[in-house]
Amino acid sequence: MVRAALAQNRNIGQGPVPGAAYIPAISVILASLLSALPIVSMNGWYPDFGFLVLIAWRLLRADAWPAWWAAPLGFVNDVLTGDPIGLAVSIWTAAMLVLDLADRRTMWRGYWLEWSLAAALLLANESAEWRIAQIMGASLPYRIVLAPLLISILTFPIAAWIVSRVDRWRLGR
C-alpha cells in the first residue's frame, strides 16, 4: 500500500503555488485579453471570454475571491474590450450577486443546473450589451446576439474544464 502511494510520484504535503489567491483573477484578466487578438469580423461572433471564465470560477469555487472583486475585474474587462466603462462592472457584479443567491437557494448543484445558470447569465450579459449598444445609437437587430450567445453557451463546459485544471494546478493537487 505504501509502495503504491509512493509510486504515484506525488509530493506529499505539497501545498498551493505561491500567489494562489490571485490566480483566479489573473486568469479572468488573461481571458479578457483574448478580445485583443487580431480577429476581424463584421459582427462579433466570439464570446466574452472574461465573463465565461468569471462564471466558471464562481461556479467551481465560491471562495475563490470575494464578491466585490467582480467590479475591478469588470473595469479591467471594459478597458481591454473597449466597452463603455461600467458596463461589465455592473453586469459582472450583478452576476456574482445572482450566483450568491443561487448558492443560498439550492441544496445541491449538478452539471445541468450549473450549465443552465451559466446560460441564463450569458443571455443576460449579451442582452444588456445589445441594449446598451441600442441606447448609444446602434441599430442592431437582436438576432446579432444569437451567434455569440450560442457559442458562449456551448463553450462554457470547455471554459469550466480549463478553470478546473488551473484550479487543480493552483492548489497543488
Side-chain angles (χ1 to χ4, degrees):
M1 185 177 202
V2 174
R3 284 187 196 159
L6 293 175
Q8 290 181 357
N9 197 15
R10 288 188 184 171
N11 295 334
I12 296 174
Q14 178 183 359
V17 298
Y22 300 107
I23 290 175
I26 292 168
S27 66
V28 170
I29 292 170
L30 290 175
S32 294
L33 274 172
L34 289 175
S35 66
L37 290 175
I39 300 172
V40 179
S41 78
M42 293 300 287
N43 52 8
W45 57 267
Y46 46 89
D48 187 357
F49 294 110
F51 191 60
L52 264 174
V53 172
L54 176 87
I55 292 172
W57 270 110
R58 179 56 184 78
L59 287 173
L60 178 69
R61 291 202 173 269
D63 61 343
W65 56 56
W68 63 266
W69 273 29
L73 291 173
F75 177 75
V76 170
N77 187 60
D78 284 338
V79 169
L80 293 175
T81 59
D83 289 336
I85 302 296
L87 178 64
V89 172
S90 58
I91 293 172
W92 290 20
T93 304
M96 292 292 268
L97 293 174
V98 165
L99 289 173
D100 281 344
L101 182 66
D103 279 345
R104 293 175 195 270
R105 300 287 181 190
T106 56
M107 296 297 287
W108 56 269
R109 281 198 324 241
Y111 178 75
W112 294 107
L113 183 60
E114 286 190 357
W115 202 358
S116 301
L117 276 170
L121 290 172
L122 291 166
L123 173 66
N125 181 35
E126 291 292 334
S127 298
E129 287 180 359
W130 172 77
R131 183 65 184 137
I132 294 298
Q134 265 196 335
I135 290 171
M136 294 179 70
S139 60
L140 298 171
Y142 190 75
R143 63 181 163 76
I144 296 293
V145 172
L146 297 178
L149 177 63
L150 184 63
I151 291 171
S152 297
I153 291 171
L154 292 177
T155 57
F156 174 74
I158 298 167
W161 180 79
I162 291 170
V163 163
S164 71
R165 296 298 119 204
V166 169
D167 187 49
R168 192 171 182 179
W169 166 77
R170 171 182 82 105
L171 295 177
R173 294 182 181 168

